[in-house]
Amino acid sequence: MLTLNVVALPSILPIFSAQPSNHQFNYLLANTGVANFWDSIRSGFLKDNSTQVVESPSTLQEEEEPQPEEFVLVEKTEEDGVVEQIIFSSGGDVDIYDLQTLCDKVGWPRRPLSKLATALKNSYMVATLHSIQKSPGSEGNEQKKLIGMARATSDHAFNATIWDVLVDPSYQGQGLGKTLVEKLIRALLQRDIGNITLFADSQVVEFYQNLGFEPDPEGIKACFVLASYRLTIPSLHESELSLFLYQYPAVVLMSTLRFCQFGAIIALLQCYFVMLSSAQMTHPTEASALQAVRRKLIDTWGNLDDWQKSDPCTSKWTGVICTGVKNDGYLHVGELRLLHRNLSGTLAPELGLLSHATVLNFMWNNISGSIPKEIGKMTSLSLLLLSGNQISGSLPDELGNLPNITKFQLDLNQISGPLPKSFANLSNIKHLFRQNLGILPKLIHFLLDNNNLSGYLPPELSKMPKLTVLQLDNNNFNGTEIPESYGNISTLFKLSLRNCNLKGPVPDLSGIRRLLYADLSSNKLTGSIPTNKLSNYITTFNLSNNMLTGPIPSYFSGFPYLQKLSAKLTLDFQNNSLTNISGAISPPANVSIKLQGNPVCQRANELNIVPFCGVPTGDSEAPGSSNDLPEGCQTQSCPSSDNYEYVPESPVPCFCAAPLGIGLRLRSPSISDFQPYKFPFKHWITSNLRLNPYQLVIDSFIWDEGPRLRMYLKIFPPFSKDTSQFNTSDIQHLMDQFATFSLTGDDNFGPYDLLNFTLLGPYKNGMSRGALLGIVLGAMSLIVAISLVTAFIFYKKHKRFYPKVFKKTTTQKLPFEN
């Protein structure tokens, strides 16, 4: 403990009058001629102090509360014209998330946010330093961040203690910490508050000594109660009561609670059960945040009716998936899985309080409004999934503060405006979209189609070492040219820039040796088609509805990979200004060429291209399904009314089982013909989930606009003589694998969207109530038995330590009762 010595503070004394005798500071230390330190403590605390305390007249105006102040402490201009101001403030609220970030920077352990907020609220004074950076011509777009803080608590009369002095490491060494402490001291002395103390680590004691603090004045030592084990008892007499158990001697020390006549055994048992119940609670801040989220949503289907129950985690609210108990003794929200719930309304800013959540999934609803900037405070978030809503406005810059984010899905919304620059900080991102990216080493998918984005195509994408899918269809890039460097993205499998208002030439894509799919249709591209041959693996090359001229290359033949799969290659050049063909076109049967709407078709007979210039036929792949009854199996032997079906490819004939239904959408496939790829697709899914191939059935599939491939899958349990359904943990595991996008990618199928789960028959209501009740009662009985045995052994072993007062029959009153 360090105590302030005013004699050592010449820089602070000028704030008082020229006659210091008018202010008797009882905390002045040796050589000051005033009361010693211990006497000053006594004068403030002992009610029966016989010494008369005579207050010296004071010229300072007494104030009930500190008056806030704010001023520019430092201002400097960088070479690039950016002006930075460091602002001191002793008023206004402190953002607890900003404070937590600052604590992380200086290496302090994290504290519960709710307690951090309470500590700030109950402080006598809080002083902060903020850095504000202003770029030239960016009025109204200032960048503000917290770089320093210190606070003080006080009894408003005699004593004050300074806490939490911290400065951003990048700003240390500039005297800012000294300024914070001195300003707090000035304010406290102006209010005639003595006995200013603080606690400091040993390595910074010298720093505070230079500011006038003295360690252990007159040999006085600070004393602490350090427990080896602590149990927190919530909501008892409206205060937090703590029970400390010491390893030796084995005595129960009750700091705020005295137990009655039942003695130590009952006390220990009671606390044990309170501990168990408190461990099974959602953190109050997160429970309150979920209620705020519910108030902002409109739930027409009643999916969230169970959000009225007492506790989100223990009551298992719909879509709320919780993690285990953390060090703070609470359950925490790990995931919000609210896809396809017909929800409308808006997203609540309180989502930012779910600091432990890793997944935020609101896909396929009708949510409107903008994305709350507070989501940028969910530092544990790895998946932000908001596709298929009516969200509008621009992307908040705060989303760039998510250090663990790996996947953004915001397509099929109405997002507009420029893309934030802060996304360059997202080093773990794999699925993303934005301009001025810098180099993101883990970026795999770059998708933001079907929005209202403007600006230019970022050339930095060509430097992404792992980029495989680039899809930005149906945006307005306002006459931007496709960067020539896109032809050098050697890892690319799909390039889709359809209907983006692009101009300029078609880039040479021949250098992308594994390119499967390229769609540059419905733009304003000009010039001729590049003559270099495309990848041998190409399945779709669409340049329709542009302004292309010149000849059509004749190299579109001889694609061994496609021929091996019996897959189709679609070459779409419709509605351009193509005038000729370089050589004869003799494509193989699996190559489809479309030339309708080009001047070359006026010479269709002469050039022998009539089949390619005719009226387009509906050559898109027809929907597929697989509902055939296995041969030799009787329909009545499998109770379809309970969602049981015969497994079509079971190794044992007529195996009847209950499947889990999954709606899936391939959001950026690199194919346009699925039938030849059904076997590779099944292999991809089953190998990821470690299933037998026969357990997966592609029940149906259909192509949506995009193109996207929507399908319905059925996953059956493995053959067993004992059961024909999944157990609860198996179902949860399979759902988690799809919902958290744990399936590793496949080049042909690209990223996917989860549309829904179908839980029917034995899976509809989960575990039966009877079974669940039996498990709960059994667990409670076991806990009671173990607790009684443990308490009895403890009592027998340490009986000699308990005072005789516990044997009295009179009931003792609690210390805080009136």
Side-chain angles (χ1 to χ4, degrees):
M1 181 181 73
L2 301 174
T3 305
L4 183 65
N5 186 342
V6 172
V7 170
L9 284 176
S11 63
I12 292 179
L13 291 177
I15 65 174
F16 302 101
S17 67
Q19 299 178 354
S21 59
N22 290 339
H23 306 284
Q24 292 189 4
F25 301 112
N26 290 337
Y27 52 85
L28 294 181
L29 303 182
N31 303 321
T32 62
V34 296
N36 65 28
F37 174 74
W38 187 245
D39 287 339
S40 70
I41 296 293
R42 288 171 52 86
S43 67
F45 280 101
L46 298 182
K47 295 181 179 180
D48 57 350
N49 183 12
S50 59
T51 303
Q52 183 179 7
V53 179
V54 180
E55 295 185 2
S56 301
S58 174
T59 59
L60 295 177
Q61 180 181 358
E62 295 185 358
E63 297 174 339
E64 288 296 326
E65 297 294 339
Q67 295 300 310
E69 60 177 326
E70 181 173 305
F71 58 86
V72 177
L73 190 65
V74 178
E75 180 171 320
K76 58 182 178 180
T77 303
E78 304 292 345
E79 294 181 357
D80 57 1
V82 175
V83 177
E84 181 180 23
Q85 293 180 332
I86 296 179
I87 307 295
F88 173 89
S89 174
S90 62
D93 296 330
V94 178
D95 190 301
I96 58 174
Y97 296 98
D98 293 343
L99 179 55
Q100 186 180 64
T101 299
L102 183 57
C103 291
D104 291 342
K105 290 182 179 180
V106 299
W108 285 12
R110 287 200 166 190
R111 294 173 285 185
L113 292 177
S114 58
K115 288 192 173 184
L116 201 59
T118 301
L120 291 173
K121 179 181 178 181
N122 293 329
S123 295
Y124 180 65
M125 285 188 64
V126 178
T128 60
L129 295 175
H130 284 87
S131 167
I132 298 180
Q133 293 186 346
K134 305 175 183 178
S135 300
S138 61
E139 288 74 10
N141 293 321
E142 301 172 345
Q143 296 182 2
K144 181 179 180 180
K145 67 177 180 179
L146 180 69
I147 63 169
M149 193 205 78
R151 66 185 184 92
T153 55
S154 175
D155 58 12
H156 295 225
F158 300 102
N159 307 286
T161 302
I162 296 175
W163 306 90
D164 300 338
V165 181
L166 67 166
V167 176
D168 189 315
S170 60
Y171 287 85
Q172 291 178 5
Q174 303 179 32
L176 298 179
K178 177 182 178 182
T179 300
L180 276 172
V181 176
E182 287 187 345
K183 292 297 294 183
L184 280 177
I185 294 172
R186 286 176 184 271
L188 293 169
L189 295 181
Q190 283 178 319
R191 289 159 182 81
D192 204 15
I193 292 177
N195 300 329
I196 302 175
T197 59
L198 61 81
F199 298 87
D201 293 334
S202 58
Q203 61 267 30
V204 295
V205 168
E206 184 178 356
F207 169 79
Y208 290 109
Q209 283 181 301
N210 293 334
L211 291 175
F213 285 88
E214 181 177 339
D216 302 337
E218 301 181 13
I220 301 300
K221 299 287 186 180
C223 298
F224 301 89
V225 176
L226 297 176
S228 62
Y229 186 43
R230 176 177 176 176
L231 307 179
T232 300
I233 307 177
S235 303
L236 188 58
H237 289 276
E238 299 182 358
S239 64
E240 185 183 75
L241 307 179
S242 299
L243 173 69
F244 295 93
L245 304 179
Y246 284 79
Q247 291 180 341
Y248 184 85
V251 177
V252 181
L253 173 63
M254 290 158 286
S255 62
T256 56
L257 178 63
R258 290 188 300 166
F259 290 98
C260 58
Q261 60 190 6
F262 296 106
I265 294 179
I266 301 301
L268 180 62
L269 188 60
Q270 178 181 354
C271 286
Y272 181 73
F273 280 110
V274 171
M275 177 192 69
L276 291 177
S277 64
S278 67
Q280 297 300 314
M281 287 178 56
T282 308
H283 194 283
T285 299
E286 298 180 21
S288 177
L290 290 175
Q291 291 288 5
V293 170
R294 175 64 183 89
R295 289 192 294 270
K296 289 286 187 178
L297 295 173
I298 300 173
D299 178 24
T300 56
W301 286 358
N303 283 304
L304 306 184
D305 286 349
D306 60 356
W307 281 37
Q308 304 301 321
K309 296 180 181 179
S310 58
D311 186 83
C313 292
T314 58
S315 300
K316 296 183 179 180
W317 288 5
T318 298
V320 178
I321 299 173
C322 296
T323 62
V325 177
K326 300 292 185 181
N327 293 334
D328 59 4
Y330 290 105
L331 298 168
H332 291 273
V333 178
E335 178 181 351
L336 273 188
R337 190 183 296 174
L338 295 174
L339 72 162
H340 208 278
R341 299 284 183 177
N342 197 39
L343 300 173
S344 55
T346 59
L347 298 176
E350 287 80 2
L351 285 168
L353 297 174
L354 305 179
S355 58
H356 293 266
T358 60
V359 180
L360 195 61
N361 189 344
F362 284 92
M363 293 200 303
W364 318 122
N365 288 289
N366 297 300
I367 295 172
S368 57
S370 59
I371 299 176
K373 65 180 182 180
E374 288 78 7
I375 289 180
K377 299 175 181 179
M378 301 175 67
T379 54
S380 299
L381 197 65
S382 61
L383 303 178
L384 178 59
L385 311 173
L386 303 176
S387 299
N389 284 283
Q390 305 295 322
I391 296 173
S392 58
S394 59
L395 297 174
D397 195 64
E398 287 78 4
L399 294 183
N401 299 329
L402 299 173
N404 296 304
I405 197 76
T406 62
K407 189 181 187 74
F408 278 108
Q409 280 196 203
L410 307 178
D411 59 314
L412 298 175
N413 281 290
Q414 300 174 17
I415 297 172
S416 60
L419 298 169
K421 297 180 180 180
S422 60
F423 282 27
N425 303 324
L426 305 176
S427 59
N428 289 316
I429 198 70
K430 295 180 180 179
H431 314 264
L432 185 60
F433 35 82
R434 86 149 250 99
Q435 296 166 316
N436 300 326
L437 289 167
I439 297 178
L440 300 179
K442 297 182 181 180
L443 184 64
I444 299 174
H445 300 143
F446 187 88
L447 301 95
L448 190 59
D449 45 324
N450 299 292
N451 278 283
N452 297 311
L453 297 178
S454 57
Y456 64 91
L457 291 176
E460 299 94 328
L461 288 171
S462 61
K463 300 178 182 179
M464 305 300 172
K466 294 186 178 181
L467 185 64
T468 61
V469 176
L470 175 54
Q471 180 169 309
L472 295 171
D473 302 336
N474 301 318
N475 284 291
N476 183 14
F477 293 107
N478 196 25
T480 298
E481 293 189 5
I482 302 174
E484 184 179 350
S485 59
Y486 281 15
N488 300 324
I489 309 178
S490 59
T491 55
L492 204 61
F493 292 103
K494 180 171 183 177
L495 176 64
S496 191
L497 303 173
R498 176 170 47 88
N499 190 30
C500 288
N501 197 21
L502 299 170
K503 67 177 183 179
V506 177
D508 185 357
L509 305 177
S510 61
I512 308 177
R513 305 314 304 169
R514 301 282 297 181
L515 187 65
L516 297 171
Y517 188 107
D519 187 350
L520 308 178
S521 63
S522 301
N523 286 292
K524 299 177 182 178
L525 302 179
T526 56
S528 60
I529 301 173
T531 57
N532 293 327
K533 187 177 180 179
L534 295 173
S535 161
N536 287 333
Y537 300 91
I538 195 75
T539 66
T540 299
F541 190 46
N542 191 344
L543 295 176
S544 63
N545 299 302
N546 278 289
M547 303 165 61
L548 301 175
T549 58
I552 302 171
S554 59
Y555 57 75
F556 298 110
S557 61
F559 294 94
Y561 181 69
L562 298 179
Q563 292 171 357
K564 179 180 178 181
L565 288 172
S566 299
K568 293 180 180 180
L569 166 62
T570 301
L571 304 171
D572 194 339
F573 303 126
Q574 297 179 83
N575 302 315
N576 281 285
S577 300
L578 303 174
T579 57
N580 199 1
I581 294 176
S582 57
I585 295 183
S586 300
N590 63 327
V591 176
S592 173
I593 301 178
K594 301 177 182 180
L595 298 177
Q596 296 85 4
N598 284 282
V600 70
C601 286
Q602 298 175 8
R603 302 167 55 203
N605 291 324
E606 174 188 346
L607 299 174
N608 196 25
I609 56 173
V610 172
F612 312 130
C613 291
V615 177
T617 58
D619 59 351
S620 59
E621 185 176 20
S625 62
S626 177
N627 292 312
D628 296 334
L629 183 69
E631 186 176 352
C633 299
Q634 301 297 320
T635 305
Q636 61 270 21
S637 300
C638 196
S640 58
S641 59
D642 293 330
N643 194 42
Y644 283 84
E645 303 177 19
Y646 287 116
V647 183
E649 300 178 13
S650 170
V652 177
C654 302
F655 172 47
C656 180
L660 166 66
I662 300 175
L664 209 64
R665 186 186 73 158
L666 304 184
R667 65 193 313 267
S668 186
S670 298
I671 59 176
S672 54
D673 180 18
F674 182 61
Q675 285 289 355
Y677 294 90
K678 289 181 70 174
F679 179 78
F681 177 81
K682 292 186 64 174
H683 175 73
W684 171 51
I685 296 292
T686 55
S687 61
N688 269 278
L689 299 177
R690 298 183 179 181
L691 303 174
N692 298 304
Y694 72 84
Q695 290 182 251
L696 176 64
V697 172
I698 303 174
D699 187 72
S700 61
F701 67 88
I702 187 172
W703 285 96
D704 288 339
E705 183 181 357
R708 292 176 170 84
L709 183 59
R710 180 159 45 96
M711 58 182 64
Y712 183 69
L713 309 178
K714 292 180 179 178
I715 298 180
F716 290 88
F719 173 76
S720 171
K721 295 181 179 180
D722 300 323
T723 183
S724 55
Q725 66 187 58
F726 289 112
N727 60 38
T728 303
S729 61
D730 290 336
I731 287 290
Q732 190 63 51
H733 171 72
L734 290 170
M735 293 172 63
D736 288 345
Q737 290 294 299
F738 283 98
T740 59
F741 298 88
S742 298
L743 307 185
T744 56
D746 183 278
D747 302 336
N748 290 305
F749 310 119
Y752 67 89
D753 290 333
L754 174 64
L755 301 181
N756 54 61
F757 293 113
T758 303
L759 300 173
L760 300 175
Y763 312 131
K764 186 173 183 180
N765 296 317
M767 188 181 297
S768 68
R769 292 186 179 181
L772 184 61
L773 181 61
I775 292 174
V776 172
L777 291 176
M780 291 180 62
S781 300
L782 180 61
I783 290 171
V784 170
I786 294 174
S787 303
L788 288 173
V789 171
T790 303
F792 179 74
I793 294 173
F794 180 86
Y795 173 73
K796 294 288 290 183
K797 184 176 181 180
H798 302 289
K799 181 178 179 180
R800 64 184 184 278
F801 290 111
Y802 290 94
K804 293 181 179 181
V805 68
F806 285 94
K807 296 181 180 179
K808 293 182 178 180
T809 58
T810 57
T811 302
Q812 297 185 11
K813 198 174 183 181
L814 291 175
F816 293 115
E817 290 182 339
N818 295 322

